[in-house]
Amino acid sequence: MPPPPVRPVGGRTKFLGVTSIVFASLGLLCCPLSLLGTWFTPFPADAVDPFTVWLERSITLSILLLVSIPMLAAGIGLVQGRNWGRTLGVISSLVCMFTYFAMLVLDVFFIYWPLITAAETPGADLPGGRTSLYAGVVIGVVVLIVAMAWHITTMTLLNSATVRSSLR
């Protein structure tokens, strides 16, 4: 009996696989650098405890670093058209989404709010000034929201009938 014909991997599936590989590679590269960078980030005196920032970042970035490895494997599996790649991709995206949400909540309460409060005190010594502080807060929040939206989109696309039908 001849083997069943091999279905070609769909374009959406390959796109999700390649983007997973790219983002996982960036995660493996950038998470350690971001963690190292928290030691060198200037904060206003008495506004934010540098150890609190480092602790929050070390926990969340360690989770993201550990999730980057299965996300890389999921991307390879999706490019090859394997069903386990889809399952691993959904799980990785779910963990990343909740980690980014936790980062957003922790950043707002333990970093952004104290920084904004310190910026409003008269005579505050702010590295870069108020404008750069507010820009950093806005950019930080927007980046985390976009990251969460990307993982929600990835989970939705991985569960679509088009992607499911192109996997073996």
Side-chain angles (χ1 to χ4, degrees):
M1 177 175 239
V6 177
R7 291 179 297 209
V9 178
R12 184 180 291 174
T13 307
K14 279 190 180 179
F15 170 76
L16 289 170
V18 169
T19 55
S20 291
I21 291 169
V22 168
F23 288 141
S25 300
L26 287 173
L28 288 171
L29 176 69
C30 294
C31 283
L33 295 175
S34 295
L35 184 57
L36 183 64
T38 58
W39 283 108
F40 303 108
T41 304
F43 291 110
D46 300 330
V48 177
D49 178 26
F51 180 74
T52 304
V53 174
W54 184 83
L55 183 64
E56 182 261 334
R57 291 282 190 231
S58 64
I59 293 169
T60 53
L61 290 173
S62 297
I63 292 170
L64 291 174
L65 184 64
L66 291 174
V67 171
S68 293
I69 297 167
M71 188 181 293
L72 183 64
I76 293 169
L78 287 169
V79 168
Q80 293 178 349
R82 305 290 182 198
N83 193 36
W84 57 263
R86 186 190 71 80
T87 305
L88 199 55
V90 169
I91 293 168
S92 298
S93 288
L94 190 63
V95 171
C96 283
M97 185 187 64
F98 283 121
T99 304
Y100 285 127
F101 180 75
M103 280 178 80
L104 180 64
V105 170
L106 292 172
D107 282 357
V108 166
F109 286 111
F110 292 109
I111 299 172
Y112 300 149
W113 188 258
L115 284 176
I116 291 172
T117 305
E120 296 303 320
T121 56
D125 179 31
L126 299 172
R130 282 189 175 86
T131 305
S132 69
L133 171 73
Y134 293 135
V137 169
V138 169
I139 290 170
V141 169
V142 168
V143 164
L144 290 173
I145 289 172
V146 168
M148 285 187 291
W150 168 255
H151 287 291
I152 291 169
T153 304
T154 300
M155 286 188 301
T156 304
L157 291 174
L158 286 173
N159 284 317
S160 70
T162 307
V163 171
R164 285 180 181 217
S165 66
S166 69
L167 299 173
R168 41 186 185 274

